Amino acid sequence: MPFKSVLVLPALFALALPAFAGSLVIKGSDTLGAKLVPQLAEAFKAKHPETTFNISAEGSATGIAAIIDGTAQIGMSSRKVEPTEEAAAQAKGVKFSPTVVAHDGIAVIVNEKNPVTKLTKKQVEKLFTGDVTDWSAVGGNAGAISIYTRNTSSGTFKDFKTMAMKKRDYAASSQKMAGNEQIAAEVGKNVNGIGYVGLAYTKAPGVKVVVIEGTELTDENVRTGKYPYSRETYLYTNGAPTGEAKSFIDFAVSEEGQKIAAQVGFVPVK
């Protein structure tokens, strides 16, 4: 069942005090917050030992909301801010300032024992909307398809719905997971499973990435946008970043920070 993901490393991260005293509060995307941002924070902490972090990864919507309501200095998001969120921000005098921290590709994954290795975009749409319910319809072995998706607060949930499903609804039978790692774990143990994860989560045991429209999920195909489910990921602030938030974001997009992004499994912006 879904759980709250608050990432705190002993002796490295500390809970925020009122008004962020001595702490950098970062909320939002699981795609960024489960691996990349904690590793960036650890490397930043090594250079700035006085800085503490409170990182909460519960979905892009929560990071954007945290910027609007002032409960975080940085909001992590795997999608762009939506018009309704812009309106809510303007009503409170908040102005979103995005920084692209890395390129990402949403991988369609199946169990490694599934004979399906490639799909068309139309087949992907039919699979996730429930138009197709048996693997035999797309070249696989007969068996009912098990669909794993992110929850509704996830930026990846919305991005995939837009990119791959023409904004159609997910199949009623789809099972919502709290994060990328949970989707990969379920697909890895279910031979009839299918799901999607960010590029950094494609090495999970028991899964393989499906080729889409003849295009493989490679760094170059993501960087150029050739891969059909390519996207950018963001760190949002209220106005231009200042203070510790600026220092951390500058580090994230620096040469050292982008090397960490590449090591984690993202595609650097530079």
Side-chain angles (χ1 to χ4, degrees):
M1 60 183 293
F3 61 93
K4 184 177 182 181
S5 175
V6 178
L7 307 172
V8 182
L9 300 183
L12 177 60
F13 301 108
L15 293 177
L17 298 175
F20 310 126
S23 181
L24 190 54
V25 180
I26 306 175
K27 296 182 180 181
S29 166
D30 168 80
T31 299
L32 292 174
K35 291 183 179 182
L36 176 56
V37 170
Q39 291 196 30
L40 287 171
E42 186 171 3
F44 184 85
K45 176 75 173 176
K47 297 176 178 293
H48 306 274
E50 73 285 356
T51 303
T52 57
F53 289 85
N54 177 15
I55 302 173
S56 178
E58 298 176 318
S60 297
T62 65
I64 292 169
I67 297 302
I68 294 173
D69 62 27
T71 57
Q73 295 111 307
I74 297 174
M76 303 175 287
S77 182
S78 61
R79 63 169 173 84
K80 294 181 179 179
V81 170
E82 297 178 343
T84 54
E85 293 164 333
E86 286 278 12
Q90 288 176 7
K92 291 192 174 183
V94 171
K95 183 175 177 58
F96 289 113
S97 178
T99 299
V100 177
V101 69
H103 295 288
D104 188 27
I106 305 177
V108 176
I109 57 170
V110 297
N111 186 277
E112 63 182 1
K113 295 180 180 178
N114 190 324
V116 173
T117 59
K118 58 184 179 180
L119 292 167
T120 65
K121 290 191 290 184
K122 190 62 178 178
Q123 286 174 324
V124 172
E125 177 190 340
K126 288 184 174 182
L127 286 166
F128 281 91
T129 57
D131 289 347
V132 169
T133 59
D134 195 283
W135 280 109
S136 59
V138 292
N141 298 325
I145 297 166
S146 298
I147 304 166
Y148 300 98
T149 78
R150 292 291 309 282
N151 56 39
T152 56
S153 66
S154 160
T156 306
F157 177 94
K158 292 188 176 183
D159 273 351
F160 193 78
K161 190 174 181 178
T162 299
M163 292 178 178
M165 300 164 58
K166 299 178 181 175
K167 296 187 177 181
R168 296 176 62 194
D169 290 334
Y170 288 91
S173 62
S174 62
Q175 302 174 63
K176 294 180 175 61
M177 302 284 110
N180 289 274
E181 291 175 335
Q182 289 72 36
I183 289 178
E186 292 300 322
V187 173
K189 63 187 181 185
N190 183 351
V191 69
N192 289 323
I194 187 171
Y196 52 75
V197 295
L199 185 58
Y201 303 87
T202 56
K203 305 299 183 184
V207 307
K208 66 181 180 183
V209 177
V210 177
V211 174
I212 307 298
E213 290 287 332
T215 303
E216 295 183 3
L217 179 64
T218 65
D219 286 4
E220 184 62 21
N221 286 341
V222 167
R223 183 181 293 108
T224 60
K226 183 179 179 180
Y227 179 73
Y229 310 139
S230 301
R231 61 180 179 172
E232 295 175 330
T233 60
Y234 306 90
L235 298 179
Y236 278 99
T237 54
N238 178 8
T242 60
E244 287 292 293
K246 182 181 187 306
S247 296
F248 178 72
I249 290 174
D250 286 347
F251 174 76
V253 297
S254 70
E255 182 177 354
E256 182 177 353
Q258 290 296 290
K259 283 182 179 179
I260 293 171
Q263 290 166 2
V264 171
F266 288 85
V267 180
V269 293
K270 299 177 181 178

